[in-house]
Amino acid sequence: MARNQEKAMSMLSRWYKYQRELHNPGGPEKRPYLATECHSLQEAEKWRLQIIKEIARKVSQIQNAGLGEFRIRDLNDEINKLIREKGHWQDRIVELGGPNYHKIGPKMLDHEGQELPGNRGYKYFGAAKDLPGVRELFEEEPPKPPRKTRGDLMKDIDAYYYGYLDDEDGVLMKLEEEVEKKARHLAIEEWKLKKETGELDKELEEEERKEREEEEKRRKELQEKKDDDTEDTSTDEHTIAPLEVPSQKDVEIELLRKKKMELLLKYASEDLQRTSMNAKTLMGRDLNI
């Protein structure tokens, strides 16, 4: 029975094919490659509608995510190509005196596609939006939190920020008391355990030994310091004081004094010299000064 139905469908298909060839001997009419090759407004309208039907069919097909990545990418490319071609035919319709479908035409199919930011003209439809590498591009980055100014930061700074009022509520003191009790209890238990095992006596002996060593070390350091001070004192006693070097002014005064004495001895008599020496002696001055 199934075989007879297949034969009947085959005969019906051949009959429909014969009728099409009879009414259209040249075969199905092919859409011009360029819109500028069409010079009839009716034909331009017809080709535009044909493109819209093809776009609608392919948009419905691309909704199926089970077609596979490569088939979905091909369908998406074909849809974008048909959309561009539809735009060329709409421009041709305007040139031939028809309506401007860019303004009044339905754009439902165009709105189903989504463009990537910064990639104007190419749209992704249906399952193409979830392709690897495309989904991440459509995910919007979360907005960055606004940067706070110095004034905004200073609003939250008060006595609590610096910890001045931590003891006001009494919570911290209670926590400290609990921790102190635990620490005291642990210390007492540790002390009792060391006393029972004899470790406490060993620790005391070790501490006493360290103290004696430190005391001996300090005593030696003090003795060495005293010895060094004694050596420095003996060295200072035998040190010769440095000679005082006369200045230029002292040298000039000494030369002037000698010159005066030479003149006095050369031109003054013995009585005058004796009188001058007595006068200087009475005035508290030495002749050699």
Side-chain angles (χ1 to χ4, degrees):
M1 186 67 182
R3 182 62 179 168
N4 295 333
Q5 289 181 356
E6 291 177 3
K7 289 182 178 179
M9 292 298 295
S10 177
M11 293 178 63
L12 184 61
S13 298
R14 289 199 297 271
W15 186 80
Y16 276 125
K17 183 178 179 181
Y18 170 75
Q19 291 293 327
R20 285 196 300 271
E21 291 177 355
L22 182 63
H23 295 287
N24 190 8
E29 190 175 1
K30 189 176 180 181
R31 185 168 65 239
Y33 182 74
L34 298 175
T36 54
E37 296 178 358
C38 180
H39 302 285
S40 173
L41 180 59
Q42 285 185 345
E43 290 185 359
E45 294 273 4
K46 180 181 69 173
W47 300 132
R48 174 182 170 275
L49 291 175
Q50 186 185 44
I51 293 172
I52 291 174
K53 291 178 182 178
E54 292 181 8
I55 293 173
R57 186 177 70 256
K58 292 182 183 295
V59 168
S60 63
Q61 291 177 1
I62 204 172
Q63 304 301 324
N64 184 9
L67 295 176
E69 179 182 349
F70 297 104
R71 178 56 181 161
I72 291 173
R73 290 185 184 276
D74 292 340
L75 280 174
N76 198 76
D77 293 339
E78 292 173 5
I79 292 170
N80 281 275
K81 182 179 178 182
L82 289 172
I83 289 174
R84 288 195 299 271
E85 190 175 355
K86 184 187 73 170
H88 297 328
W89 282 105
Q90 289 179 165
D91 293 337
R92 185 56 178 169
I93 289 171
V94 174
E95 293 174 0
L96 294 174
N100 188 357
Y101 289 105
H102 290 293
K103 295 181 180 180
I104 63 174
K107 298 182 180 180
M108 294 174 59
L109 297 175
D110 294 351
H111 290 327
E112 290 186 7
Q114 188 174 358
E115 294 180 350
L116 286 175
N119 189 14
R120 186 175 178 82
Y122 192 88
K123 296 182 178 183
Y124 290 88
F125 296 84
K129 300 176 186 177
D130 298 327
L131 290 173
V134 180
R135 186 190 307 107
E136 292 80 3
L137 298 175
F138 282 115
E139 292 177 356
E140 297 182 359
E141 296 182 0
K144 296 182 179 180
R147 187 175 181 180
K148 291 185 178 181
T149 61
R150 186 179 294 273
D152 296 335
L153 295 175
M154 294 300 293
K155 288 179 182 178
D156 299 330
I157 296 178
D158 51 9
Y160 287 100
Y161 177 81
Y162 293 104
Y164 295 145
L165 303 178
D166 289 346
D167 300 336
E168 294 294 327
D169 53 0
V171 176
L172 185 61
M173 296 181 67
K174 292 180 180 179
L175 296 174
E176 288 178 351
E177 289 177 359
E178 293 177 0
V179 174
E180 186 178 356
K181 289 179 181 178
K182 292 179 181 179
R184 190 184 299 113
H185 179 72
L186 291 174
I188 292 171
E189 293 294 332
E190 186 179 357
W191 180 81
K192 289 180 179 178
L193 181 62
K194 287 183 178 179
K195 189 175 182 181
E196 292 175 357
T197 56
E199 293 182 4
L200 186 61
D201 297 334
K202 294 180 181 179
E203 290 182 359
L204 291 174
E205 292 176 359
E206 183 69 20
E207 289 180 359
E208 290 177 358
R209 186 183 62 79
K210 289 182 179 179
E211 289 179 358
R212 287 196 299 269
E213 290 178 357
E214 291 178 359
E215 184 66 26
E216 186 67 23
K217 186 177 181 182
R218 285 196 296 268
R219 191 180 297 110
K220 289 181 179 180
E221 290 177 355
L222 289 173
Q223 186 65 32
E224 290 176 358
K225 188 175 182 181
K226 287 180 181 179
D227 295 342
D228 293 340
D229 293 341
T230 304
E231 292 178 2
D232 294 341
T233 305
S234 60
T235 304
D236 293 341
E237 290 177 355
H238 295 85
T239 302
I240 301 174
L243 297 174
E244 183 179 358
V245 180
S247 63
Q248 183 68 24
K249 188 175 181 180
D250 295 337
V251 173
E252 291 177 357
I253 292 172
E254 182 66 21
L255 290 174
L256 182 62
R257 187 184 65 78
K258 287 183 179 182
K259 191 68 175 178
K260 286 181 179 180
M261 289 297 297
E262 289 177 0
L263 291 173
L264 183 63
L265 293 174
K266 184 176 181 182
Y267 295 105
S269 61
E270 294 180 358
D271 296 335
L272 183 60
Q273 292 177 9
R274 193 179 301 111
T275 304
S276 176
M277 290 176 66
N278 293 332
K280 289 181 178 181
T281 303
L282 293 172
M283 295 175 64
R285 299 179 61 188
D286 189 3
L287 183 64
N288 294 327
I289 297 176

